[in-house]
Amino acid sequence: MKLRGRAWKFGPDIDTDRIIPARYLNTSDPKELAKHCMEDADPEFAKKVQPGDIIVAGKNFGCGSSREHAPIAIKAAGVSCVIAKSFARIFFRNAFNTGLPILECEEAVEGIDQGDEVEVDLGKGEIRNITKGLTFKARPIPPFMESLLKAGGLMEWVKQRLEVGGR
Amino acid sequence: MGMTITEKILADHAGRKEVFPGDLIQARVDIALGNDITAPIAIGQFRRIGAREVFDRERVVLVPDHFTPNKDIKSAEQCKVLRDFAREQGIIHYFEGGEIGIEHALLPEQGIVVPGDLVIGADSHTCTYGALGAFATGVGSTDLAAAMVTGEAWFKVPESMKFVYYGKLGEWVSGKDLILYTIGDIGVDGALYRAMEFTGETIRDLSMDSRFALCNMAIEAGAKNGIIAPDEVTEGYVRGRAKRPYRLYRSDEDASYVDVREYDVSRIEPQVAFPHLPENTRGISEVGRIEIDQVVIGSCTNGRIEDLRIAARVLKGNRVAPYVRLIIIPATPLIYHQAMEEGLFEIFLEAKAVISPPTCGPCLGGHMGILAKGERAVATTNRNFVGRMGHPDSEVYLANPAVAAASAVKGYIAHPEEVVKEV
């Protein structure tokens, strides 16, 4: 699957409070959450983000709380993929569980600037900076995570297992 | 080769003799926890795949503690989702009204989590239970939903880091300061994906309340879990509370660690973490004069009875500085009751503090003490991210309860010795 959009660049340690502040967690409606996505990191983001756009961030993206509202908000805002130097572990799980593609690649983060046109080939783990004519290879997705993705997410995987087990 | 306590607990729950860091395992969970923010999504997922029953109604725990007492209509609706589900499923450990406490103080206190458990919670501070010698880690709502159905969860076995603390703690130094100091040393991703094992003579002498505070903030270093091997202090706490039989694990002598760090705690003074990351720590002597508007003493980190006692010791006979608000939040109804009986409330009220019902409330900028633009707070909570306690242009400084109480009295970040006149 290929994804394409403009890059939105963020720094290191973007916490889940900045991705979706707790003051908006009195709902889990994706559309409502999307309106406030990244609000405390860039108040203009939710207004200006276009479908397909890509978040590019430094290390430890999604640190802090376990709120699944964070990947839900990013996905509902139209973001097609997050590329970061590294991800906090709960966010990493949550992204897979909610179907938000994420890729780890230090070189890509260094080689992409705000507004660059970026294309991602998820199957190959390839990131292309079209504006600058650069190509990067992301860290491969762990095989187990890939099997979850293939099943259509964790709950579908659970459902399939339950059906097999007759429970 | 030997195993760490984390590896042993994971191996036993996966039905294996041994596991190694990097192994992917499917493990049985003893407790699966959700709150009023995370459980509604989990319940939605549970229903979406057509699940009918939770795997065990004694092991799925629901605590509506974040936006309770319901702060607005939407929060009330979220709590209702939990209530309806708890009623339908006959959830044993569902808490309502005056039973509600902050989940990570409540579950150990009520003996719902016991040593040797494997616990997942849709709340990042689930790692608190490591203080009991349990493997406990935060997950998202979908992971919780899967566990509610199957009673299992998948894990990558983490590498372990060992933290050895030795020496005698200074008078106003607690578990909170040890973890702030440690995070200051290794950074907010210094233990990313790893287990933090806290050991050493200082830990053996540490009270349970201090141990909970220590393990509570392992997530603030990016860790999967924080853990302390159970000893007689743990057993003393668990005895009479445990709702289930428990098992005491400890690391083998020849267990392997990716990193071992040693700290002489006699050199650690009370710590303050500056905005906007918990790693921005300084010793109190290096803080300088920072005027404040609000102080919060509470949360799953420092809302326990020992914390309130220390705060009372500092506040006794003193009064909160003009134009400063002090909000004290006992973490559970039992702690609330205990603080009242011990006369702590009288001290708090005379100092002109607000005593809040148990709630996560202001810690995450929910309610019960939100900051305006440009305001500064000292809090005994666990996070000082941008906008964490309110306006994106407000600031949170993390500290222990003694420093927080002293700061409330002085109106600026203060050492407890500035306030308490020793007899």
Side-chain angles (χ1 to χ4, degrees):
Chain A
M1 195 165 84
K2 281 193 179 174
L3 311 165
R4 184 166 172 162
R6 283 176 311 153
W8 289 82
K9 197 87 189 270
F10 295 94
D13 304 310
I14 295 292
D15 59 77
T16 51
D17 280 273
R18 272 190 279 185
I19 298 170
I20 181 73
R23 57 185 178 272
Y24 304 120
L25 297 186
N26 54 5
T27 178
S28 53
D29 176 8
K31 273 188 238 129
E32 279 298 311
L33 296 172
K35 283 185 204 162
H36 304 289
C37 184
M38 307 303 287
E39 189 170 294
D40 289 358
D42 178 354
E44 296 297 304
F45 179 84
K47 284 171 230 156
K48 294 187 177 162
V49 67
Q50 296 294 316
D53 281 358
I54 290 169
I55 289 177
V56 179
K59 71 171 176 81
N60 203 25
F61 185 84
C63 61
S65 111
S66 71
R67 62 189 72 156
E68 213 160 273
H69 310 66
I72 291 173
I74 292 173
K75 210 178 156 197
V79 171
S80 63
C81 174
V82 182
I83 301 166
K85 290 189 180 178
S86 64
F87 291 93
R89 60 161 286 276
I90 306 178
F91 184 90
F92 185 84
R93 285 181 87 112
N94 288 348
F96 278 91
N97 289 343
T98 55
L100 172 70
I102 57 172
L103 291 171
E104 279 185 355
C105 185
E106 287 206 22
E107 299 76 23
V109 175
E110 297 292 344
I112 297 173
D113 289 319
Q114 174 79 17
D116 283 357
E117 192 73 15
V118 176
E119 190 178 79
V120 171
D121 185 328
L122 280 183
K124 290 188 190 155
E126 217 169 75
I127 301 163
R128 280 179 58 211
N129 184 337
I130 293 167
T131 308
K132 292 193 168 66
L134 300 167
T135 303
F136 309 96
K137 193 87 182 155
R139 275 178 63 181
I141 297 170
F144 175 72
M145 305 302 274
E146 221 176 318
S147 71
L148 284 185
L149 283 180
K150 278 197 186 126
L154 179 65
M155 290 314 282
E156 296 307 315
W157 184 77
V158 166
K159 197 177 165 190
Q160 286 168 19
R161 287 182 69 219
L162 289 183
E163 280 159 4
V164 171
R167 197 165 147 187
Chain B
M1 195 180 67
M3 287 197 286
T4 66
I5 179 170
T6 294
E7 289 156 9
K8 285 182 183 181
I9 297 173
L10 288 173
D12 275 357
H13 285 78
R16 292 199 196 181
K17 267 176 94 167
E18 54 183 1
V19 293
F20 300 96
D23 285 357
L24 267 167
I25 58 164
Q26 190 72 18
R28 182 173 55 75
V29 304
D30 293 302
I31 294 292
L33 164 74
N35 59 49
D36 50 316
I37 289 180
T38 59
I41 297 179
I43 293 165
Q45 295 275 36
F46 180 92
R47 299 206 191 284
R48 192 176 62 77
I49 65 158
R52 265 177 252 126
E53 275 184 2
V54 296
F55 80 103
D56 187 335
R57 62 197 187 99
E58 289 186 42
R59 290 173 186 268
V60 173
V61 178
L62 297 174
V63 187
D65 58 355
H66 277 59
F67 291 165
T68 48
N70 302 342
K71 75 159 178 151
D72 55 21
I73 295 168
K74 284 180 175 175
S75 316
E77 298 289 346
Q78 296 203 125
C79 289
K80 192 164 180 297
V81 172
L82 266 69
R83 186 177 304 114
D84 291 348
F85 186 77
R87 195 181 271 161
E88 169 198 304
Q89 295 286 324
I91 301 291
I92 303 293
H93 302 303
Y94 164 74
F95 297 83
E96 190 67 89
E99 298 166 342
I100 295 171
I102 297 175
E103 50 197 326
H104 308 309
L106 190 65
L107 267 58
E109 172 199 282
Q110 297 294 314
I112 295 168
V113 172
V114 297
D117 271 358
L118 190 157
V119 181
I120 63 162
D123 188 282
S124 59
H125 292 108
T126 300
C127 57
T128 309
Y129 314 132
L132 291 168
F135 173 87
T137 191
V139 297
S141 299
T142 302
D143 275 311
L144 171 62
M148 291 195 321
V149 180
T150 63
E152 293 180 353
W154 68 268
F155 299 98
K156 190 165 92 177
V157 177
E159 295 174 314
S160 288
M161 288 173 93
K162 188 170 174 175
F163 298 86
V164 186
Y165 302 86
Y166 64 91
K168 200 169 155 22
L169 284 176
E171 183 168 13
W172 301 102
V173 183
S174 65
K176 176 66 164 286
D177 303 292
L178 295 185
I179 190 65
L180 285 176
Y181 185 86
T182 305
I183 296 166
D185 180 39
I186 66 172
V188 290
D189 60 350
L192 192 60
Y193 295 94
R194 291 172 172 174
M196 294 175 88
E197 188 173 325
F198 305 109
T199 66
E201 59 181 30
T202 314
I203 303 298
R204 281 196 293 280
D205 289 339
L206 216 54
S207 67
M208 274 317 294
D209 284 2
S210 242
R211 293 181 188 193
F212 284 124
L214 178 59
C215 289
N216 173 271
M217 289 187 70
I219 178 68
E220 273 25 280
K224 181 169 226 157
N225 67 311
I227 198 160
I228 296 172
D231 55 17
E232 53 283 359
V233 175
T234 326
E235 282 210 86
Y237 179 86
V238 171
R239 216 173 289 129
R241 297 175 195 266
K243 289 209 164 33
R244 286 177 288 115
Y246 53 88
R247 187 165 165 189
L248 309 177
Y249 291 86
R250 56 180 53 249
S251 295
D252 292 327
E253 291 286 331
D254 57 344
S256 78
Y257 297 88
V258 283
D259 194 3
V260 179
R261 283 170 192 252
E262 297 192 8
Y263 301 107
D264 174 1
V265 305
S266 65
R267 297 166 59 173
I268 297 176
E269 55 172 343
Q271 300 288 302
V272 177
F274 277 49
H276 289 285
L277 285 175
E279 70 183 21
N280 297 334
T281 53
R282 293 186 202 175
I284 184 105
S285 62
E286 289 156 21
V287 164
R289 192 178 170 99
I290 293 174
E291 313 267 345
I292 55 162
D293 304 285
Q294 177 168 299
V295 172
V296 174
I297 298 174
S299 84
C300 58
T301 317
N302 282 128
R304 297 182 180 82
I305 191 66
E306 185 181 279
D307 303 315
L308 302 186
R309 284 182 193 139
I310 293 167
R313 193 177 147 209
V314 175
L315 290 169
K316 193 175 168 99
N318 287 304
R319 220 188 135 119
V320 175
Y323 306 108
V324 173
R325 298 97 64 181
L326 169 60
I327 300 163
I328 299 177
I329 312 174
T332 70
L334 195 70
I335 295 167
Y336 199 97
H337 203 177
Q338 211 173 344
M340 196 172 70
E341 287 199 330
E342 291 181 14
L344 308 186
F345 279 10
E346 211 174 312
I347 296 169
F348 297 158
L349 292 171
E350 279 172 7
K352 303 299 170 195
V354 174
I355 303 170
S356 157
T359 180
C360 303
C363 171
L364 75 162
H367 64 152
M368 303 294 281
I370 303 303
L371 300 175
K373 184 175 182 176
E375 286 193 324
R376 278 198 199 115
V378 173
T380 67
T381 57
N382 40 54
R383 289 190 178 133
N384 53 357
F385 299 152
V386 171
R388 177 72 180 178
M389 200 173 274
H391 195 281
D393 293 329
S394 60
E395 292 183 343
V396 177
Y397 293 74
L398 304 176
N400 73 29
V403 171
S407 305
V409 172
K410 288 292 180 185
Y412 56 85
I413 299 178
H415 195 294
E417 277 168 7
E418 285 189 56
V419 174
V420 179
K421 319 277 182 290
E422 296 303 333
V423 184

